[in-house]
Amino acid sequence: MSGTAILVRRIPFAFDEKIDPAWHPLRREWSHMVNGASLAMPYLEPFLIRTVTEALKLVSKLDLKADVQAFIGQEGVHFQNHRRYNEILKQSYPELADVEGELEADYRRFQQRSLRWRLAYTAGFETMTMGITEWLIHQRSILFGNADRSVSSLVLWHMVEETEHKNVAFDLYQNLCGDYWPRVWGTLFGAWHVAMASRKGYKRMLERDGLWRNWRSRLRLYAMIGRFAWHASPAILRSLLPGYHPAGITDPDWVARWADAYAGLPPGDIPLLDTSDPEIPARFAA
């Protein structure tokens, strides 16, 4: 079960309608990689919610039931905030509506697969987020320094909560299925599919920017994809070991500091980080 309290924080992020989609002024390619991932969330996360909600009916362990319900709550708030941000992206990139249509079709098709298949996919995707969280937090100065506060805070809040519920999808799969090889497949396919879903979005944005065929931009993009793979791959590979459990992975200290800072935030306040501080500390700027 989860070793960390799983809190459902109903944070209504407020995004300026005039926000620049290249929210990191020095890293347009990275900005669009994150935008592409955000575009997938209102389709991916409802799919995860439907899957674990169906599985919840088969669970008898009360503590696992509670964790799954908290997982559903957190993921629901995640995709609602991403959807608000995505609507702003589409004002500058209307072709992203076509990408959304493709994502919706993907997950409608996946919904027809067996529950075991969907639970394996869910556990696989949640495994990938652990490696992403470690990378984003440890290198936050490079990835979010002097970037838009709202988008940076949205992404890092999302990763904090992915850490809090990191055990849930794995425990649910093990409790109801437990087969090793389907879990391995789910991890590899889930990671690959979400990466490709994100690519559909950032490719369209870079095309409109006139950068998709620009070799300098392509090198910057490949460099960032390489960083992503380098930091996410260890989490994926270690999860393929037969004795693996996500509870054995130590969370970045910054996650607990963020949670402590949020606990002291007045009700209704949005947890906006200070991206002008080189350390991007886990405290919230006025």
Side-chain angles (χ1 to χ4, degrees):
M1 302 306 104
S2 175
T4 303
I6 304 175
L7 302 178
V8 180
R9 304 175 180 89
R10 302 194 181 281
I11 304 171
F13 274 91
F15 301 106
D16 186 338
E17 291 292 322
K18 297 180 181 179
I19 191 172
D20 187 345
W23 51 267
H24 195 308
L26 300 179
R27 298 183 184 277
R28 178 171 287 270
E29 291 78 13
W30 165 238
S31 296
H32 286 337
M33 284 177 65
V34 173
N35 293 342
S38 179
L39 202 69
M41 293 303 108
Y43 303 94
L44 164 65
E45 291 184 315
F47 167 77
L48 305 183
I49 289 170
R50 288 191 295 269
T51 296
V52 302
T53 298
E54 181 180 339
L56 189 59
K57 301 171 186 176
L58 306 175
V59 175
S60 59
K61 295 182 178 180
L62 295 181
D63 50 355
L64 180 55
K65 277 180 174 285
D67 281 351
V68 172
Q69 288 165 344
F71 173 95
I72 291 169
Q74 285 191 336
E75 297 288 36
V77 181
H78 293 175
F79 83 77
Q80 290 167 17
N81 277 294
H82 281 283
R83 178 176 286 157
R84 279 196 289 274
Y85 175 60
N86 296 346
E87 290 303 310
I88 295 173
L89 289 178
K90 286 189 291 183
Q91 293 176 15
S92 298
Y93 300 92
E95 59 268 52
L96 293 180
D98 294 335
V99 177
E100 288 183 321
E102 294 174 24
L103 292 169
E104 184 177 18
D106 269 359
Y107 286 106
R108 190 186 306 117
R109 186 171 65 254
F110 291 169
Q111 196 65 45
Q112 305 307 311
R113 305 297 295 268
S114 71
L115 180 60
R116 187 179 76 166
W117 190 98
R118 287 178 280 131
L119 285 173
Y121 180 106
T122 300
F125 168 72
E126 291 294 315
T127 294
M128 182 179 71
T129 64
M130 294 175 62
I132 298 173
T133 298
E134 292 172 0
W135 174 44
L136 296 182
I137 289 176
H138 291 317
Q139 297 201 6
R140 62 188 181 277
S141 296
I142 296 172
L143 299 174
F144 300 102
N146 293 311
D148 180 86
R149 291 170 58 197
S150 294
V151 179
S152 301
S153 299
L154 167 74
V155 173
L156 289 168
W157 154 73
H158 191 155
M159 292 299 101
V160 165
E161 294 195 348
E162 289 296 323
T163 301
E164 288 178 346
H165 67 233
K166 67 181 183 181
N167 299 336
V168 179
F170 185 93
D171 286 339
L172 185 60
Y173 175 83
Q174 291 298 108
N175 181 257
L176 296 181
C177 306
D179 297 331
Y180 173 68
W181 288 111
R183 177 172 68 80
V184 168
W185 174 90
T187 299
L188 296 175
F189 179 78
W192 174 84
H193 180 261
V194 175
M196 292 300 100
S198 300
R199 182 183 183 276
K200 291 178 180 179
Y202 69 69
K203 180 176 184 288
R204 295 292 184 92
M205 286 181 272
L206 289 170
E207 284 176 338
R208 176 171 283 269
D209 291 346
L211 292 173
W212 182 247
R213 299 190 183 282
N214 179 290
W215 68 269
R216 290 185 179 87
S217 177
R218 188 62 64 88
L219 286 178
R220 290 192 295 268
L221 177 65
Y222 286 161
M224 195 56 72
I225 292 172
R227 286 185 182 184
F228 165 81
W230 178 259
H231 291 276
S233 294
I236 294 172
L237 293 174
R238 72 194 174 206
S239 74
L240 303 181
L241 298 173
Y244 167 83
H245 193 284
I249 307 303
T250 302
D251 300 332
D253 293 339
W254 194 90
V255 169
R257 293 199 297 273
W258 187 100
D260 289 342
Y262 182 83
L265 199 64
D269 280 16
I270 296 174
L272 291 177
L273 297 163
D274 183 3
T275 56
S276 68
D277 186 317
E279 296 298 317
I280 310 185
R283 61 173 181 264
F284 306 122

